[in-house]
Amino acid sequence: MRLEIRNLSKIFVSEKGEQIEALSNINLTIDEQEFICIVGPSGCGKTTFLRIIGGLDVATSGTIQLNGQVITGPTPQMAMIFQEYSLFPWRTVIDNVAFGLELRGLPKEERYQIAKKYLDLVGLTGFAENFSYELSGGMRQRVAVARALAIEPKVILMDEPFGALDAQTRNRMQNELLQIWEKAKKTIIFVTHSVDEAVFLGDRVIALTKRPAKIKEIVPVIHCRPRDRTCSEFVSIRKHVLELIAEESSGT
Amino acid sequence: MYTTKVLQRRYIGLILPVLLIIIWEIASYIINNPFFLPRFDAVLAVLADPFRDRLGSGSLISNAIRSIQRVGLGFICAAVIAIPLGIMMGWSDRLYRFFDSTIQLLRPIPPLAWLPLALAWFKIGLTSVVFIISIGAFFPILLNTIDGIKNVRKTWLEVASTLGASERQLLLKVIIPGAAPLIWTGLRIGFGIAWMVLVAAEILPGTTSGLGYLIMYAYNFGQIELIVAGMMVIGIIGIAFDFLFQSVEKKKFAWRRLER
């Protein structure tokens, strides 16, 4: 299951009619079960890049292929997880997780069985009947992860999923996500502002330039898992990525 | 001490009505003219006998039922048109622009201003009253539905489409449930207006039953206590329906208040 991104460019037309180039000629091949993190200066087009991969935005030119199949719109092979407030508040936790299965017409018992499996996986076994407003921010994101996993996508796209969480919850969620990733064996593409998060999670960290975003450097993080944030190798990779972004951020 | 505070909070709203009734009773003694201000107990006596025929025009209950039937019919007609139209206008910008100018033009016309035309079209009878009520209920339902649909969170739609929702599923499983609290608010406001419009319409020429008709008819006979009793019934029914709408809202749409 390879995800191939070829010559991807995106030009927006602003309300004033100006053309704004957001992405410029991005090429990237992502392997099966790889954990990719995308970082870059604020407003560089990270989210746009992710949304195009997920079929939520349309590229101006270039292609995205998932195992040779061209992506033209949202597909259940790729599930997106947003920063926050993505749960359906009128549905219970289990009905949120089972939503994608419900769309496929699975009978209630069957979809609940699958949904329960994924609730267990994200550690929310006892919360099936709760509503999202009864959960903390971290728990809500775990529900969102379970909901995405339940449709068994090949790729999970995550747009700053932990950006709204406090630092402690965030670190815990990162560890849990790695555990889930190892169990569920998915490809993950993860957009974040946090270099620390990117280096902690990713197999490779893709550093983008300022707008129009190009790939500045692909930083492999060979450092083995579980990672230790305080070891010298981690620190030096982190420092390198921070410098890449600092170079791009200066002068803007 | 906690309980007295709760009691205070609960009953503080009853102080003024009780005080007003006492003042009313004293004033009616002093004025001593039942054609100007009936005594409270005379009004109570009318209310206590709601099944008794009044002035050959039916009882309070039978007239109340008549009014509720009319308002129900008019309200349902309005909802059946306004909700689908609101969903379409909220969903499609083109349809919104197509209909919006006409709606803005018609909206400021008070429902009762339609009465002469309604009488000309539908003659005296149920149809013209239902027509007027529908107009009263229509706009709040429509505008709240449009608002509800437009405010459905974009993220919900995107999540649903990445999970594989078709257009139809988006509408049925995301847009309508997401807009439901505001649609319900529209229905509640619409019903309140329909009720007010109804009573006013019944007072005007064209009807021969209903609470509005009864109190106007009572005026011709100088039965002020029947007028006041009828007004009270009108108010109580209004409150009862509003309470009903609100309790459904609290039960079914709690998420809207609780979600941050």
Side-chain angles (χ1 to χ4, degrees):
Chain A
M1 187 55 55
R2 274 154 74 95
L3 189 71
E4 300 209 34
I5 297 154
R6 290 283 158 266
N7 306 321
L8 198 73
S9 296
K10 173 74 178 175
I11 296 167
F12 284 112
V13 178
S14 75
E15 276 178 38
K16 290 176 197 158
E18 293 168 79
Q19 295 203 332
I20 299 167
E21 198 178 7
L23 305 176
S24 170
N25 201 30
I26 294 184
N27 285 283
L28 184 65
T29 302
I30 297 168
D31 285 320
E32 186 161 357
Q33 292 179 37
E34 205 179 358
F35 201 133
I36 295 288
C37 289
I38 298 170
V39 295
S42 299
C44 78
K46 304 185 285 283
T47 294
T48 307
F49 182 40
L50 195 73
R51 289 173 60 86
I52 292 174
I53 297 174
L56 292 172
D57 277 334
V58 182
T60 309
S61 62
T63 57
I64 292 156
Q65 293 188 0
L66 187 62
N67 243 8
Q69 180 194 346
V70 178
I71 302 296
T72 51
T75 154
Q77 297 192 63
M78 294 197 274
M80 184 106 162
I81 291 167
F82 295 85
Q83 185 171 1
E84 52 179 343
Y85 301 130
S86 74
L87 299 183
F88 304 118
W90 58 88
R91 288 175 165 252
T92 57
V93 164
I94 189 140
D95 277 325
N96 264 286
V97 176
F99 184 79
L101 306 168
E102 189 181 321
L103 297 177
R104 291 178 189 174
L106 254 71
K108 196 167 183 171
E109 241 173 72
E110 211 172 314
R111 61 178 194 251
Y112 274 20
Q113 208 180 335
I114 298 170
K116 281 202 176 109
K117 188 179 100 189
Y118 286 103
L119 275 180
D120 291 347
L121 183 70
V122 299
L124 287 177
T125 308
F127 292 91
E129 298 305 321
N130 286 80
F131 285 91
S132 60
Y133 51 78
E134 296 166 323
L135 307 180
S136 68
M139 287 158 92
R140 289 183 207 183
Q141 285 309 68
R142 281 189 258 169
V143 177
V145 170
R147 179 174 62 186
L149 288 172
I151 61 162
E152 306 204 323
K154 306 284 191 295
V155 182
I156 296 179
L157 308 171
M158 305 182 91
D159 184 13
E160 290 265 359
F162 307 146
L165 305 179
D166 64 81
Q168 281 172 26
T169 311
R170 191 169 181 157
N171 282 358
R172 208 178 64 230
M173 292 292 293
Q174 290 166 359
N175 283 311
E176 284 180 19
L177 178 64
L178 287 176
Q179 282 168 21
I180 290 166
W181 171 62
E182 273 155 23
K183 279 187 221 160
K185 302 194 184 333
K186 306 287 176 194
T187 307
I188 296 182
I189 307 176
F190 190 109
V191 163
T192 178
H193 272 112
S194 161
V195 169
D196 177 79
E197 187 169 67
V199 177
F200 185 72
L201 293 173
D203 291 321
R204 285 190 288 165
V205 175
I206 316 291
L208 298 179
T209 63
K210 67 185 174 210
R211 215 164 57 196
K214 293 180 284 290
I215 291 180
K216 183 174 175 75
E217 192 176 319
I218 296 177
V219 183
V221 189
I222 8 182
H223 189 39
C224 65
R225 299 176 188 276
R227 287 179 185 155
D228 175 2
R229 286 189 154 90
T230 54
C231 81
S232 60
E233 196 186 346
F234 185 94
V235 172
S236 73
I237 296 172
R238 184 167 168 266
K239 185 160 177 279
H240 177 62
V241 178
L242 279 169
E243 279 164 3
L244 291 175
I245 291 174
E247 280 169 30
E248 287 304 313
S249 301
S250 61
T252 55
Chain B
M1 285 309 96
Y2 172 76
T3 46
T4 53
K5 261 198 178 148
V6 170
L7 286 179
Q8 269 177 12
R9 195 178 287 180
R10 183 167 294 174
Y11 293 114
I12 194 167
L14 290 176
I15 296 172
L16 188 58
V18 170
L19 218 62
L20 286 175
I21 288 169
I22 293 169
I23 294 168
W24 172 4
E25 195 69 346
I26 294 168
S28 63
Y29 265 104
I30 296 167
I31 294 168
N32 196 21
N33 178 359
F35 298 106
F36 183 79
L37 185 67
R39 280 172 47 188
F40 178 64
D41 49 286
V43 173
L44 269 188
V46 176
L47 287 172
D49 198 2
F51 292 101
R52 185 160 158 194
D53 183 83
R54 304 282 168 188
L55 307 169
S57 296
S59 65
L60 281 173
I61 294 281
S62 72
N63 280 294
I65 289 171
R66 206 57 209 276
S67 292
I68 292 170
Q69 282 171 342
R70 284 179 182 141
V71 87
L73 251 153
F75 174 72
I76 289 166
C77 288
V80 161
I81 302 168
I83 293 175
L85 181 64
I87 290 171
M88 290 193 299
M89 287 176 67
W91 186 233
S92 152
D93 225 34
R94 186 179 288 190
L95 280 175
Y96 179 82
R97 264 175 283 167
F98 180 78
F99 283 112
D100 187 51
S101 50
T102 313
I103 284 161
Q104 295 307 334
L105 222 65
L106 294 176
R107 200 162 67 100
I109 302 173
L112 287 176
W114 288 87
L115 187 66
L117 193 62
L119 290 176
W121 284 349
F122 307 117
K123 311 290 180 252
I124 288 175
L126 186 63
T127 319
S128 49
V129 181
V130 168
F131 176 75
I132 303 291
I133 295 163
S134 301
I135 288 177
F138 181 79
F139 293 104
I141 302 175
L142 179 74
L143 297 180
N144 277 283
T145 303
I146 296 172
D147 231 33
I149 302 287
K150 279 188 188 275
N151 284 313
V152 167
R153 205 171 285 154
K154 209 177 143 215
T155 314
W156 293 338
L157 297 171
E158 292 185 340
V159 166
S161 41
T162 62
L163 294 174
S166 63
E167 286 260 321
R168 193 185 134 82
Q169 285 175 324
L170 280 182
L171 183 71
L172 295 179
K173 293 191 187 284
V174 182
I175 296 169
I176 291 177
L182 265 178
I183 297 176
W184 191 254
T185 303
L187 289 173
R188 185 179 140 212
I189 299 170
F191 193 92
I193 292 181
W195 185 244
M196 286 193 261
V197 169
L198 167 86
V199 173
E202 286 174 343
I203 286 174
L204 293 169
T207 47
T208 53
S209 62
L211 289 168
Y213 172 79
L214 186 67
I215 63 176
M216 201 59 206
Y217 198 62
Y219 167 76
N220 297 326
F221 289 86
Q223 295 219 357
I224 313 290
E225 68 275 7
L226 183 54
I227 296 177
V228 177
M231 288 170 68
M232 284 181 162
V233 174
I234 291 166
I236 289 163
I237 293 172
I239 291 177
F241 274 103
D242 200 63
F243 181 78
L244 222 72
F245 275 100
Q246 277 195 56
S247 52
V248 172
E249 193 173 323
K250 275 191 191 134
K251 229 171 122 183
K252 293 269 172 199
F253 306 126
W255 61 264
R256 192 158 188 273
R257 274 180 298 117
L258 297 169
E259 230 227 353
R260 288 142 288 153

